[in-house]
Amino acid sequence: MNLEFENELAEIEERIAELSKLDSKEHPQLNKDIGALRRKMKSLTRRIYENLTPWDTVRIARHHDRPLFKDFIAGMCSDFIELHGDRRCGDDKALIGGFATIDKHRVMLIGMVKGRTVDEKVHHNFGMPNPEGYRKALRLMKLAEKYGLPIVCMVDTPAAYPGREAEERGQAEAIARNLTEMAGLEVPIVVVITGEGGSGGALGIAVGDAILMLRYAVYSVIPPEGCAAILWRDAERAPEAADALKITAESLLDLGIIDQIIDEPPGGAHRDPETTIERTREAVVETLQRLKRQSTARLRDNRYDKFARMGRVKKRRSKSSK
Amino acid sequence: MNLEFENELAEIEERIAELSKLDSKEHPQLNKDIGALRRKMKSLTRRIYENLTPWDTVRIARHHDRPLFKDFIAGMCSDFIELHGDRRCGDDKALIGGFATIDKHRVMLIGMVKGRTVDEKVHHNFGMPNPEGYRKALRLMKLAEKYGLPIVCMVDTPAAYPGREAEERGQAEAIARNLTEMAGLEVPIVVVITGEGGSGGALGIAVGDAILMLRYAVYSVIPPEGCAAILWRDAERAPEAADALKITAESLLDLGIIDQIIDEPPGGAHRDPETTIERTREAVVETLQRLKRQSTARLRDNRYDKFARMGRVKKRRSKSSK
Amino acid sequence: MGWFKRSARKTPQNEIPEGLFAVCPRCKAHIYKDEYESAFKVCPKCNHHERLTAAERIELIVDKGTFREFNSEIKPNDPLDFKDAKGSYRQKAEDAIAKTGLNEAVVTGSGDINGTRAVIAVMDFRFLGGSLASATGEKILLASEHALRMKRALLIFSASGGARMHEGIVSLMQMAKTCAGIARLDRAGLPYISIMTDPTYGGVSASFATVGDLNIAEPGALIGFAGRRVIEQTIKEKLPDDFQTAEYLLEHGFLDSIVNRGEMKDYLHRVLQYSLGKKV
Amino acid sequence: MGWFKRSARKTPQNEIPEGLFAVCPRCKAHIYKDEYESAFKVCPKCNHHERLTAAERIELIVDKGTFREFNSEIKPNDPLDFKDAKGSYRQKAEDAIAKTGLNEAVVTGSGDINGTRAVIAVMDFRFLGGSLASATGEKILLASEHALRMKRALLIFSASGGARMHEGIVSLMQMAKTCAGIARLDRAGLPYISIMTDPTYGGVSASFATVGDLNIAEPGALIGFAGRRVIEQTIKEKLPDDFQTAEYLLEHGFLDSIVNRGEMKDYLHRVLQYSLGKKV
Ligand SMILES: [Zn+2]
Ligand SMILES: [Zn+2]
């Protein structure tokens, strides 16, 4: 499964694979050739990934082989106990959580599950939570607060589910409640945007003390396709919208929305999930160590200031008052 | 609508009504006769109501003309603002609440609504709340706590609704949550059992600092009919069960379950709702004045002790340890 | 979020003829313009509540002469230097300012409601669809901070299609920012009353608008997270007519009350008496 | 509440023949009795979890030799001097005591779970259907108070048909009483884990059993407020087969997890490590 800007890479990969099948005794040049191809591939990868457009990044963030929340759980945690249910109505399959141990840190780990096979995708509603997902997340966060456990939220969702029953059960209220309650939680909250940060659906678990983001994840107020459909009346112009919306980690760091970029290996997380997950683990652990040193009151005040600063408007004299 | 033990009263009432239609000029004895009948009725009423069986009391507590929560609201409050919804799933029609002013006291007033006409009964589900009713009540109680308003709960329900969706939405959890949260609320809670105190369905809003009870209300762990069906295999023996279960205000005061009996006028609340409601208002106001003088911590500790005392078992030496 | 262009209904104000009569956009009744205006644009025939400007709303709710506006000079930011097919966001914002006489989609200030002072924020749908952006969020946060300092109630009248996509992620963050302000009021025991008017969607419904101590709405107001069309496309079925109306939300447990415009001021005053007992 | 007589299933223990084999009450498989007992009465064929006595449960969960029982001398009260067609409650209670060797329907104490000390309450369905009454409530409250004093976790294994109607209103009040104890633990930040076993109904499900920080159940356990028959009579329709099973409750959001009996001890130990971080 290749993205079109990776076609050249795919070709080289294929040639390497072909050559590797040959007998090196019959082809004395073989190892040298393969080595050259690998070097070429490496530099090409670097070149491609240094020149990605925002829209390329969107494609990578949605890549089939990109590590998903369950991969992160398996790779980052020495223990995970899933805790189900919102105690009101259901157990959301798109947004899950539970006790987890990362290094020596016991935390409450929460995140969106997308699924990889068709069955999994359907089961997990393509990672689009319903209100009971946000309410389960809040229940678990409150439990973490009671037990003094830091919270780690891993964000990867196209959007909160725009369904009829989601509306009837208060999708808007569920997200709003989380934003309000998370502002006041008395434990550290680490957020990692790992794939798609889809608008309010992402933000619903993304009010944190530290917002980390994988290099090729995206985080946006609206999907580029939707934005293009509205502003250019043409969903095909999504690449332009992706550009205009400033949704890449680099842009978001500049805008002061995120605190840290977690570098992905050359060629993206989908080429090397293991390294990606390991780097994520390291970044989360470092952040936890830092945040755990802060007092509860300090944490909460800093969190307030952090979000209060976002989009802070310098007061300007209005024309009328000269 | 008469209960059978009131038949004699009904006959006298009828005779008085007949005589009242006659012309007193033609019947010089008339006023004297009516006076005599009234005196007879008064003493008979007193005699009947002093000798009610527990089962008679059940019948009175369920009487068609007994004042219902909406009558109490109208009669007790100079202001009432109903607040709807549990913010999760629905707005229960059997259990309502809102801001209310009783005398000079601003309170959160919560209670079960039964309805009197068939349509009303159906609309209010015969006063049997669903989980969203208990959750709405809890939401309002938390709001009262935030605003420092005392809570007044008026109980009149046959039971929490035993329906399929009630189970699916967690009837048990909703009641349990209320019991747990009410134990910790930092405002005074006054409970008045006005009609039927139907088991867990009643208790779900009846954890209070002061439990008042109208003289002919009942409060029971199980409806007498149900108890008779189980223990005597015969629902017809409900009167015996009513007796055995000790469900009258008098018995409950003896058992230390309630704190105060609000006297009903002779002939019961259904004969004189106005006086009943006025006495209830007075009792509630007195209780509020008393409870408002207590500190938050004191209130909560006292509430704990109150329920901890209920059914306190004296430690006895067991046979085995001699 | 950001779908306000689609979900916004035609502004029916245009349909009112210049003459003596106004035409109700719902029931098409002809109403004496004077009567219509003095009823604050509520149709006497069908109780349709027409959208109000922020100024009209303030006139309706706040005691005459008591409104003191905050931060009126705050204007839209352009953090992304955003341009689309029809031009720049900067120009769009300037046009909105010129059209409405407002500097942003929300007016904030303090004022008395039947003598009880409160902090009030009123959104104006005419200004870029009442969209939530950095300056809107900033003004609301500043209003909540004022309420906190002065120990007053905060009232927000919402009217919004959602987040303003021209400010991208910065506008999304205003949801968290405004809610952080609400959370502080809540911890301080101060009342926050949300009044949702037509329409309240997306980034506004999914932030401050739905977490009031009391959530109140005007009759018939459309309130939701996603727009009707988006949902119909997703679930591939038609939605009921009353979907996302205030009445529908009340039935589903998300509103404390639906209050007619003519009774709103007295209602809010009554409610404030209960909510401020501890503080004043 | 109080419907346990009706909702209680036949105690299938009686069906196990005296010989070498036990018969699974669900799938009717013949199982070597030794195998069955050493698996703590879980059927190896269909995973049916047969009811356990309090002693069996404690043996399963608590490290050998560490259980110290509290208040074992507390016996049923008879606040109503209750008599029915079949005799007095007092006699009934004496019979239950004689039959089970227990003084009440709950055994409480402290013990270690893989080395982590906790306060534990275990209900025994054999004792008057595990019904909640004054002595049951008192023992649970005292256990919660012990946990509070010693800053330990509280674990309650429920198995109950509901309130014990022979103690009338006094038994109803035990719901509020036990929940008041739970509320104090909660305010103190101490963990309370509820484990629901078959069956958990009425006054127990509507009090302490469903308000755990974690609500856990054994597979197939029946858990509900009202009994199936009462509901079917009320709504006049048949309920689905899986109605009120643990699996059904998990799907509806009321359980954190369903845990097999064989894994329960380790599971609880793991969970306690997260819950006690702040306190120990
Ligand atoms: Zn009209
Ligand atoms: Zn079996």
Side-chain angles (χ1 to χ4, degrees):
Chain A
M1 226 194 172
N2 280 298
L3 305 173
E4 66 283 358
F5 57 85
E6 293 184 316
N7 280 344
E8 229 182 312
L9 287 181
E11 279 166 26
I12 301 175
E13 267 178 338
E14 217 170 294
R15 288 236 323 268
I16 294 175
E18 277 167 20
L19 292 182
S20 302
K21 281 185 222 144
L22 302 176
D23 190 335
S24 61
K25 284 188 188 132
E26 289 174 36
H27 305 265
Q29 282 290 86
L30 193 64
N31 283 339
K32 222 179 123 194
D33 286 358
I34 292 181
L37 281 171
R38 282 200 206 283
R39 278 191 300 281
K40 185 174 172 192
M41 180 160 156
K42 205 167 163 185
S43 71
L44 182 62
T45 302
R46 189 150 290 153
R47 208 177 64 236
I48 291 174
Y49 272 77
E50 272 166 5
N51 292 287
L52 293 172
T53 66
W55 180 244
D56 294 337
T57 311
V58 170
R59 308 288 307 282
I60 296 169
R62 296 175 184 168
H63 194 285
H64 178 270
D65 296 331
R66 192 168 178 83
L68 300 175
F69 183 40
K70 290 207 168 173
D71 303 315
F72 282 99
I73 296 174
M76 284 170 57
C77 306
S78 56
D79 187 34
F80 180 69
I81 306 177
E82 186 174 351
L83 303 175
H84 297 268
D86 68 345
R87 301 265 174 104
R88 291 294 174 269
C89 127
D91 180 45
D92 200 75
K93 303 295 189 292
L95 183 40
I96 71 166
F99 295 132
T101 304
I102 305 175
D103 250 44
K104 301 220 160 87
H105 299 277
R106 294 200 182 96
V107 303
M108 184 64 80
L109 182 62
I110 293 166
M112 286 87 169
V113 184
K114 276 180 167 175
R116 196 161 271 128
T117 67
V118 171
D119 282 356
E120 283 171 6
K121 283 178 199 218
V122 170
H123 178 72
H124 294 295
N125 201 31
F126 302 86
M128 293 187 282
N130 273 287
E132 48 273 26
Y134 294 103
R135 293 188 181 125
K136 171 170 66 179
L138 182 58
R139 181 177 80 80
L140 297 184
M141 291 191 266
K142 290 279 195 181
L143 186 60
E145 184 178 43
K146 172 173 174 178
Y147 290 167
L149 301 172
I151 296 162
V152 178
C153 295
M154 315 264 303
V155 176
D156 185 16
T157 180
Y161 187 59
R164 174 183 171 157
E165 291 181 339
E167 293 285 325
E168 288 176 353
R169 294 197 293 262
Q171 188 71 283
E173 194 272 348
I175 292 172
R177 182 69 54 197
N178 282 15
L179 304 186
T180 310
E181 296 281 348
M182 290 181 85
L185 285 174
E186 300 192 345
V187 287
I189 307 173
V190 181
V191 173
V192 190
I193 318 285
T194 65
E196 286 184 276
S199 194
L203 186 62
I205 62 163
V207 178
D209 303 303
I211 320 290
L212 319 184
M213 188 164 170
L214 285 181
R215 163 103 32 214
Y216 307 120
V218 291
Y219 193 6
S220 178
V221 71
I222 183 171
E225 294 91 330
C227 180
I230 295 173
L231 293 186
W232 284 271
R233 309 255 166 233
D234 180 4
E236 296 292 309
R237 294 178 72 173
E240 279 171 72
D243 201 29
L245 285 168
K246 306 258 199 307
I247 62 183
T248 63
E250 205 81 49
S251 299
L252 297 176
L253 192 67
D254 285 347
L255 286 165
I257 304 299
I258 65 166
D259 300 288
Q260 186 185 335
I261 296 174
I262 302 170
D263 236 335
E264 297 185 30
H270 55 290
R271 281 217 161 61
D272 187 354
E274 214 169 294
T275 305
T276 306
I277 292 168
E278 177 53 21
R279 287 183 186 170
T280 305
R281 193 189 60 74
E282 281 168 14
V284 168
V285 167
E286 265 171 41
T287 309
L288 283 170
Q289 277 162 346
R290 181 168 55 78
L291 293 175
K292 273 179 158 182
R293 284 195 292 268
Q294 291 180 29
S295 74
T296 298
R298 181 69 178 280
L299 260 182
R300 201 157 64 179
D301 285 351
N302 285 351
R303 197 182 303 145
Y304 182 90
D305 292 342
K306 177 187 189 61
F307 283 89
R309 265 195 313 272
M310 290 185 188
R312 171 133 293 169
V313 184
K314 292 269 175 354
K315 291 193 190 184
R316 290 174 289 190
R317 308 301 296 170
S318 67
K319 275 183 209 162
S320 59
S321 62
K322 299 243 154 67
Chain B
M1 230 197 169
N2 279 298
L3 306 173
E4 65 284 357
F5 58 83
E6 293 185 315
N7 280 345
E8 232 183 310
L9 287 181
E11 278 165 28
I12 301 175
E13 267 179 336
E14 217 170 293
R15 287 231 332 261
I16 294 176
E18 275 166 22
L19 292 181
S20 303
K21 282 187 218 138
L22 301 178
D23 190 334
S24 62
K25 285 191 187 127
E26 288 173 37
H27 305 265
Q29 282 291 88
L30 193 62
N31 283 339
K32 220 177 125 196
D33 287 356
I34 291 180
L37 281 172
R38 281 201 207 281
R39 279 190 300 280
K40 185 174 171 192
M41 180 158 155
K42 204 168 165 183
S43 70
L44 182 62
T45 301
R46 189 150 287 153
R47 208 174 66 237
I48 292 175
Y49 272 76
E50 272 164 4
N51 293 287
L52 292 172
T53 65
W55 180 244
D56 294 337
T57 310
V58 170
R59 308 287 307 283
I60 296 170
R62 297 175 184 168
H63 194 285
H64 177 272
D65 295 331
R66 192 167 178 84
L68 301 174
F69 183 40
K70 290 207 169 174
D71 303 314
F72 283 98
I73 296 173
M76 284 170 56
C77 306
S78 57
D79 187 34
F80 180 69
I81 306 178
E82 186 174 351
L83 303 174
H84 297 269
D86 68 345
R87 301 263 174 106
R88 291 293 173 271
C89 125
D91 180 45
D92 200 74
K93 304 293 189 294
L95 182 40
I96 71 164
F99 294 131
T101 303
I102 305 175
D103 251 43
K104 301 224 160 88
H105 299 278
R106 295 202 181 96
V107 303
M108 184 64 80
L109 181 62
I110 294 167
M112 286 89 170
V113 184
K114 276 180 166 174
R116 196 161 270 129
T117 68
V118 172
D119 281 355
E120 282 172 6
K121 282 177 201 222
V122 170
H123 178 72
H124 294 295
N125 200 31
F126 301 86
M128 292 187 283
N130 273 287
E132 49 272 26
Y134 295 102
R135 294 189 180 124
K136 171 170 64 179
L138 181 57
R139 181 176 80 81
L140 297 185
M141 290 190 268
K142 291 279 195 180
L143 186 60
E145 185 178 43
K146 172 173 176 179
Y147 290 167
L149 300 172
I151 296 162
V152 178
C153 295
M154 315 265 303
V155 176
D156 186 15
T157 180
Y161 187 60
R164 174 183 171 154
E165 292 182 339
E167 294 285 326
E168 289 176 353
R169 292 197 294 262
Q171 188 71 285
E173 194 272 348
I175 291 172
R177 183 70 51 196
N178 281 15
L179 305 186
T180 311
E181 296 281 349
M182 290 181 85
L185 285 174
E186 300 193 346
V187 287
I189 307 174
V190 181
V191 173
V192 190
I193 318 285
T194 66
E196 286 184 276
S199 196
L203 186 62
I205 61 164
V207 178
D209 303 302
I211 320 289
L212 319 184
M213 188 164 171
L214 285 181
R215 168 127 356 238
Y216 306 120
V218 291
Y219 192 7
S220 178
V221 70
I222 183 170
E225 295 91 330
C227 180
I230 295 173
L231 294 185
W232 284 272
R233 308 254 164 232
D234 180 4
E236 294 295 307
R237 294 177 72 172
E240 280 171 72
D243 202 28
L245 285 168
K246 306 259 200 308
I247 62 182
T248 63
E250 206 81 52
S251 298
L252 297 177
L253 191 67
D254 286 347
L255 286 166
I257 304 299
I258 65 165
D259 300 287
Q260 186 186 334
I261 296 174
I262 302 170
D263 237 336
E264 297 185 28
H270 57 288
R271 280 216 162 61
D272 187 354
E274 214 168 294
T275 304
T276 307
I277 292 168
E278 176 54 22
R279 286 182 187 170
T280 304
R281 192 188 61 73
E282 281 168 12
V284 167
V285 167
E286 266 172 38
T287 309
L288 283 171
Q289 276 161 347
R290 180 167 56 76
L291 293 176
K292 274 180 159 181
R293 284 196 293 268
Q294 291 180 28
S295 74
T296 298
R298 182 69 178 280
L299 260 182
R300 200 157 63 178
D301 286 350
N302 286 351
R303 195 182 304 146
Y304 183 90
D305 292 342
K306 175 187 190 62
F307 283 89
R309 265 196 313 274
M310 290 185 188
R312 172 134 293 170
V313 184
K314 291 269 177 350
K315 291 193 188 186
R316 290 174 289 190
R317 308 301 295 169
S318 67
K319 275 182 209 164
S320 60
S321 62
K322 298 238 157 72
Chain C
M1 236 131 300
W3 296 92
F4 63 87
K5 281 272 180 167
R6 289 182 172 193
S7 67
R9 305 182 313 189
K10 297 198 273 314
T11 311
Q13 222 137 341
N14 307 333
E15 297 172 19
I16 299 168
E18 285 304 296
L20 203 58
F21 288 98
V23 178
C24 170
R26 191 208 276 159
C27 75
K28 312 295 172 204
H30 283 61
I31 316 148
Y32 276 114
K33 231 178 176 175
D34 282 359
E35 190 188 349
Y36 189 59
E37 295 292 333
S38 72
F40 283 92
K41 299 187 178 164
V42 176
C43 171
K45 301 280 193 298
C46 75
N47 202 32
H48 171 74
H49 282 55
E50 188 46 45
R51 291 172 188 164
L52 294 185
T53 66
E56 287 167 337
R57 181 76 59 185
I58 289 163
E59 194 193 333
L60 171 72
I61 296 297
V62 179
D63 296 349
K64 207 170 171 166
T66 64
F67 188 72
R68 186 169 66 81
E69 190 174 351
F70 303 155
N71 307 303
S72 62
E73 71 288 359
I74 292 182
K75 287 179 172 187
N77 235 354
D78 184 15
L80 310 190
D81 196 13
F82 195 94
K83 289 174 186 62
D84 66 31
K86 279 174 287 175
S88 72
Y89 165 48
R90 212 172 285 258
Q91 187 55 52
K92 220 177 163 95
E94 285 302 330
D95 294 349
I97 291 170
K99 184 184 98 183
T100 61
L102 300 172
N103 277 338
E104 247 300 344
V106 68
V107 175
T108 60
S110 78
D112 295 354
I113 299 176
N114 292 348
T116 300
R117 183 143 306 171
V119 176
I120 298 161
V122 182
M123 301 191 79
D124 194 315
F125 192 75
R126 298 171 308 151
F127 194 101
L128 299 176
S131 52
L132 177 64
S134 53
T136 346
E138 179 77 4
K139 287 179 83 171
I140 290 172
L141 186 78
L142 291 171
S144 72
E145 288 178 344
H146 184 91
L148 187 67
R149 262 194 318 275
M150 307 300 286
K151 297 198 189 304
R152 299 240 160 85
L154 174 67
L155 280 66
I156 305 183
F157 292 81
S158 298
S160 174
R164 190 178 302 162
M165 77 184 102
H166 313 78
E167 295 190 18
I169 196 81
V170 181
S171 109
L172 186 71
M173 291 303 129
Q174 303 312 306
M175 294 168 64
K177 176 170 169 172
T178 51
C179 283
I182 303 301
R184 282 205 166 170
L185 288 180
D186 191 52
R187 276 202 302 282
L190 288 165
Y192 161 49
I193 317 289
S194 168
I195 304 99
M196 291 176 255
T197 74
D198 185 65
T200 297
Y201 273 87
V204 167
S205 70
S207 64
F208 55 85
T210 49
V211 292
D213 293 340
L214 268 63
N215 289 342
I216 298 166
E218 286 197 326
L222 290 177
I223 302 160
F225 176 64
R228 170 186 279 265
R229 208 179 311 176
V230 173
I231 299 168
E232 287 183 339
Q233 280 166 6
T234 304
I235 63 173
K236 319 246 185 281
E237 39 176 283
K238 286 285 288 177
L239 293 162
D241 281 346
D242 67 343
F243 189 69
Q244 297 184 330
T245 59
E247 292 71 19
Y248 182 92
L249 262 80
L250 184 74
E251 208 49 51
H252 283 89
F254 292 97
L255 294 179
D256 286 89
S257 186
I258 296 173
V259 179
N260 279 316
R261 191 169 287 168
E263 294 142 27
M264 185 66 85
K265 182 175 183 176
D266 287 346
Y267 183 91
L268 291 173
H269 176 256
R270 271 168 78 202
V271 158
L272 286 177
Q273 306 319 302
Y274 291 93
S275 66
L276 286 163
K278 216 168 154 183
K279 295 290 152 193
V280 292
Chain D
M1 237 127 300
W3 294 93
F4 63 87
K5 281 272 179 169
R6 288 183 170 192
S7 66
R9 304 180 313 186
K10 296 196 278 306
T11 312
Q13 223 137 340
N14 306 334
E15 296 172 19
I16 299 169
E18 286 302 299
L20 202 61
F21 288 99
V23 177
C24 170
R26 191 208 277 159
C27 75
K28 311 298 174 203
H30 283 60
I31 315 151
Y32 275 113
K33 231 178 174 175
D34 283 359
E35 190 190 348
Y36 189 59
E37 295 293 334
S38 71
F40 283 92
K41 299 187 178 162
V42 175
C43 171
K45 301 280 193 296
C46 75
N47 202 34
H48 171 73
H49 281 54
E50 188 43 47
R51 291 172 189 165
L52 295 185
T53 67
E56 288 167 337
R57 181 76 61 186
I58 289 164
E59 194 194 333
L60 171 72
I61 296 296
V62 180
D63 296 349
K64 209 168 172 171
T66 65
F67 189 72
R68 187 168 65 80
E69 189 174 353
F70 303 154
N71 307 302
S72 61
E73 72 288 357
I74 293 182
K75 288 178 172 186
N77 237 354
D78 183 17
L80 310 190
D81 197 13
F82 196 93
K83 290 174 186 62
D84 66 31
K86 280 174 288 176
S88 72
Y89 164 49
R90 211 173 287 258
Q91 188 55 51
K92 221 177 162 92
E94 285 301 330
D95 294 349
I97 290 170
K99 185 185 98 183
T100 61
L102 300 172
N103 277 337
E104 246 300 346
V106 69
V107 175
T108 59
S110 78
D112 295 353
I113 298 175
N114 292 348
T116 301
R117 184 143 304 171
V119 176
I120 298 162
V122 182
M123 302 191 79
D124 193 315
F125 191 75
R126 296 171 310 151
F127 195 100
L128 300 175
S131 52
L132 178 65
S134 52
T136 346
E138 179 76 4
K139 286 179 81 170
I140 289 170
L141 186 77
L142 291 172
S144 72
E145 288 178 344
H146 183 91
L148 187 66
R149 262 194 318 277
M150 307 299 287
K151 296 199 190 304
R152 300 241 159 84
L154 174 67
L155 279 66
I156 306 183
F157 293 81
S158 298
S160 174
R164 190 179 301 164
M165 78 185 101
H166 313 78
E167 295 190 17
I169 196 82
V170 181
S171 106
L172 186 72
M173 291 303 130
Q174 304 311 308
M175 294 168 63
K177 176 170 169 172
T178 52
C179 285
I182 303 301
R184 280 204 167 170
L185 288 181
D186 190 52
R187 276 202 302 282
L190 289 165
Y192 162 49
I193 318 288
S194 168
I195 305 98
M196 291 176 254
T197 74
D198 185 64
T200 297
Y201 272 87
V204 166
S205 69
S207 64
F208 55 85
T210 49
V211 291
D213 293 339
L214 268 62
N215 289 342
I216 298 166
E218 286 197 325
L222 289 177
I223 301 160
F225 177 65
R228 170 187 278 266
R229 207 179 313 176
V230 174
I231 299 168
E232 287 183 339
Q233 279 166 8
T234 305
I235 64 173
K236 319 243 185 283
E237 38 176 282
K238 287 285 289 177
L239 292 163
D241 281 345
D242 67 344
F243 188 68
Q244 295 184 331
T245 59
E247 293 70 19
Y248 182 92
L249 262 80
L250 184 75
E251 208 49 50
H252 282 88
F254 292 96
L255 294 179
D256 287 89
S257 186
I258 296 174
V259 179
N260 279 316
R261 191 169 287 169
E263 294 143 26
M264 185 65 86
K265 182 174 182 175
D266 287 346
Y267 182 91
L268 292 174
H269 177 257
R270 272 168 77 201
V271 158
L272 286 177
Q273 306 319 302
Y274 290 93
S275 65
L276 286 164
K278 216 168 155 185
K279 294 290 153 190
V280 293

